[in-house]
Amino acid sequence: MNSRIIIPSRIITADRENRILTSHAVEISGGIIKRIFPASDIIGNSAEYYNDLVMIPGFIQTHIHLCQTLFRGIADDLELLDWLQYRIFPYENAHNKNSLKAAARLGLYELLKSGTTTILDMGTLRHQEIIFEELIHSGIRAFAGKCMMDKNDLFPSFKSSTAGELKQTGELAAEFHNKNEKIRYGFAPRFVLSSSETLLKETAELMKDFRGSVYHTHSSENLNEGRRVEEMFGCGNIEYFERIRILEGKTVLAHCVHVNKNEIDILSKRKVSVAHCPSSNLKLGSGVAPIPEFIKHGITVSLGSDGAACNNNLGQFQEMRLASLMQKPYHGASAMDALTIFRMSNIEGAKALGIDNETGSIEEGKKADLVLVDLNRYSSPLPEGENLYSDLVFSADAGAVKNVMVGGEWLVRNGEVSGYDEKEIIVSGRSELQSLLRRVE
Ligand code: GUN
Ligand code: FE
């Protein structure tokens, strides 16, 4: 089996001790990190040297909507329910296979180029197989699933029947869960306002047949959304989920901005993870999620850029920076330090998805999901390199990413994403968007 040895200037491991290694080599074979050892032990000259680059674990984003990439810049300055009603639902409803493919390709290109190696994607109502095909083509590690909607007062033509949603989801999960070593199913009822109780509960039942899958939905994002939930069920969104007993499997809830004390206890007791989406929460005016409180309660918090229609970027660097900065005015300047945030971008994401034994940090035995970044133009490293966390969280952007490896395979080299022609995906994205807008009801 092909084996390669990589020697960066430093390795930021994100292991339990947060070790930063200097002059160490990483040996990769069969897609796995076989050995991390002092570079001085190398015999012969077969290693790949990256003397100017720092190795970090690949970013893990636990809330993405690839289908929304084409809607960047045409859904600005609206709050959640209006944004969904007047922009996103009509646009998603108008997707055909070609426009969905163009959206997924643009999104995956941006994600890989900016160092993301694993995603949890929410999918869309129709043509989910196209998203799976594009995920497989890209080489990224992914949990994904058809977005399920069996009611929709905001835009009634954008939904399907309960039985139809469950049947299609079961078929897609049977086909794509563990399709290859990188692809798993993420069951995705969209949110309470578009999911009947039967759909939410039956999805949790269905998920039990697919070991290693996750349950992925939005929760408690916006005050008006929360008011509607309260009117319908007389309680908070997460309290409702607990009442109907859908939080017992591996669950990732996106946003969790407006939650009460009881709901924080529920998240903690049920080991539910929160996918924190700082840019989206700010841009849609949703609010500031109580992340320090979640962390105090031992809740796993990971990051996501949500979609290009509410961010309007898909990189993890902006999410890290904002996840720290947005809390400081409320909790003081020492809140959400760079190391805490950095771990949210990798190992905490792996925990959220139940794959922390296989990725999320640079350790022997884990999958080789790695990124090489150029941090030279930022701070001058202290002897132990601890200020590299600060460079990564507060200073760097996607331009720092040079090489990206997923499962032992280079998908980005010198900033070039393999398998994509940048000009081609931009041009076809534009033309697909023009056709889609003509189809909008
Ligand atoms: N709630 C229901 N659907 C969506 C969506 O597409 N994006 C966000 N941010 N929240 C949602
Ligand atoms: Fe979302």
Side-chain angles (χ1 to χ4, degrees), residues 170-182:
E171 287 167 0
L172 284 161
E175 181 171 358
F176 290 104
H177 185 57
N178 295 326
K179 180 82 175 175
N180 66 32
E181 166 278 310
K182 292 174 177 170

Side-chain angles (χ1 to χ4, degrees), residues 397-421:
D397 59 27
V401 172
K402 298 301 168 202
N403 285 26
V404 180
M405 176 182 277
V406 182
E409 194 187 341
W410 287 125
L411 299 184
V412 180
R413 272 205 206 111
N414 288 321
E416 300 270 325
V417 187
S418 58
Y420 293 88
D421 173 343

Side-chain angles (χ1 to χ4, degrees), residues 177-285:
H177 185 57
N178 295 326
K179 180 82 175 175
N180 66 32
E181 166 278 310
K182 292 174 177 170
I183 302 292
R184 273 160 277 204
Y185 207 85
F187 291 85
R190 190 166 197 139
F191 71 148
V192 174
L193 301 187
S194 68
S195 311
S196 69
E197 190 159 315
T198 306
L199 185 73
L200 292 167
K201 284 161 73 169
E202 291 295 319
T203 301
E205 279 306 306
L206 182 58
M207 179 184 159
K208 291 179 185 163
D209 294 337
F210 298 91
R211 243 183 110 227
S213 63
V214 301
Y215 196 102
H216 175 206
T217 189
H218 296 93
S219 184
S220 320
E221 176 175 2
N222 165 285
L223 282 175
N224 287 324
E225 171 204 27
R227 271 182 211 117
R228 291 196 191 191
V229 173
E230 176 85 33
E231 275 162 26
M232 285 191 292
F233 307 111
C235 60
N237 201 326
I238 295 165
E239 288 169 325
Y240 169 62
F241 286 161
E242 173 70 352
R243 187 200 297 166
I244 65 170
R245 302 192 53 184
I246 62 162
L247 300 176
E248 289 160 29
K250 192 83 191 152
T251 306
V252 179
L253 297 184
H255 303 291
C256 300
V257 176
H258 304 285
V259 299
N260 63 39
K261 281 206 163 60
N262 182 39
E263 293 184 305
I264 295 179
D265 289 339
I266 293 168
L267 293 176
S268 168
K269 181 171 102 185
R270 294 292 178 203
K271 296 189 167 41
V272 169
S273 303
V274 173
H276 180 36
C277 305
S279 297
S280 165
N281 293 345
L282 290 168
K283 188 154 185 298
L284 295 172

Side-chain angles (χ1 to χ4, degrees), residues 8-296:
S9 68
R10 301 210 191 226
I11 304 169
I12 305 185
T13 63
D15 69 3
R16 270 193 197 84
E17 291 88 45
N18 292 308
R19 282 181 307 155
I20 297 177
L21 307 172
T22 307
S23 306
H24 273 67
V26 178
E27 182 180 344
I28 295 159
S29 175
I32 305 288
I33 299 170
K34 285 283 177 238
R35 210 157 60 103
I36 302 174
F37 59 100
S40 54
D41 292 357
I42 289 198
I43 303 160
N45 56 0
S46 59
E48 299 167 44
Y49 285 85
Y50 297 95
N51 296 330
D52 286 338
L53 303 180
V54 172
M55 181 185 281
I56 60 173
F59 292 129
I60 297 178
Q61 294 209 43
T62 55
H63 185 62
I64 294 283
H65 297 255
L66 285 172
C67 74
Q68 294 175 7
T69 316
L70 293 182
F71 313 148
R72 188 193 320 256
I74 55 169
D76 292 341
D77 310 321
L78 292 166
E79 68 103 25
L80 179 71
L81 298 182
D82 289 343
W83 178 80
L84 290 172
Q85 179 170 358
Y86 301 115
R87 298 284 191 277
I88 299 309
F89 287 165
Y91 294 165
E92 278 192 39
N93 190 47
H95 258 314
N96 63 20
K97 289 186 179 185
N98 289 338
S99 59
L100 189 56
K101 178 174 166 144
R105 288 174 76 85
L106 270 175
L108 286 162
Y109 177 81
E110 184 178 345
L111 285 160
L112 286 170
K113 200 170 163 65
S114 56
T116 294
T117 54
T118 299
I119 60 169
L120 170 58
D121 186 74
M122 165 75 47
T124 186
L125 189 68
R126 306 184 192 101
H127 315 304
Q128 179 61 34
E129 70 285 356
I130 298 288
I131 295 185
F132 277 114
E133 283 165 18
E134 290 308 317
L135 289 167
I136 292 165
H137 168 82
S138 75
I140 204 165
R141 196 175 301 289
F143 287 69
K146 174 195 162 12
C147 178
M148 306 162 86
M149 303 171 72
D150 67 344
K151 62 181 200 181
N152 192 347
D153 292 342
L154 295 169
F155 195 81
S157 55
F158 191 49
K159 64 168 186 276
S160 178
S161 69
T162 311
E165 289 297 75
L166 289 164
K167 180 167 180 287
Q168 261 195 54
T169 294
E171 287 167 0
L172 284 161
E175 181 171 358
F176 290 104
H177 185 57
N178 295 326
K179 180 82 175 175
N180 66 32
E181 166 278 310
K182 292 174 177 170
I183 302 292
R184 273 160 277 204
Y185 207 85
F187 291 85
R190 190 166 197 139
F191 71 148
V192 174
L193 301 187
S194 68
S195 311
S196 69
E197 190 159 315
T198 306
L199 185 73
L200 292 167
K201 284 161 73 169
E202 291 295 319
T203 301
E205 279 306 306
L206 182 58
M207 179 184 159
K208 291 179 185 163
D209 294 337
F210 298 91
R211 243 183 110 227
S213 63
V214 301
Y215 196 102
H216 175 206
T217 189
H218 296 93
S219 184
S220 320
E221 176 175 2
N222 165 285
L223 282 175
N224 287 324
E225 171 204 27
R227 271 182 211 117
R228 291 196 191 191
V229 173
E230 176 85 33
E231 275 162 26
M232 285 191 292
F233 307 111
C235 60
N237 201 326
I238 295 165
E239 288 169 325
Y240 169 62
F241 286 161
E242 173 70 352
R243 187 200 297 166
I244 65 170
R245 302 192 53 184
I246 62 162
L247 300 176
E248 289 160 29
K250 192 83 191 152
T251 306
V252 179
L253 297 184
H255 303 291
C256 300
V257 176
H258 304 285
V259 299
N260 63 39
K261 281 206 163 60
N262 182 39
E263 293 184 305
I264 295 179
D265 289 339
I266 293 168
L267 293 176
S268 168
K269 181 171 102 185
R270 294 292 178 203
K271 296 189 167 41
V272 169
S273 303
V274 173
H276 180 36
C277 305
S279 297
S280 165
N281 293 345
L282 290 168
K283 188 154 185 298
L284 295 172
S286 301
V288 177
I291 302 300
E293 197 65 19
F294 293 157
I295 292 174
K296 228 184 273 168

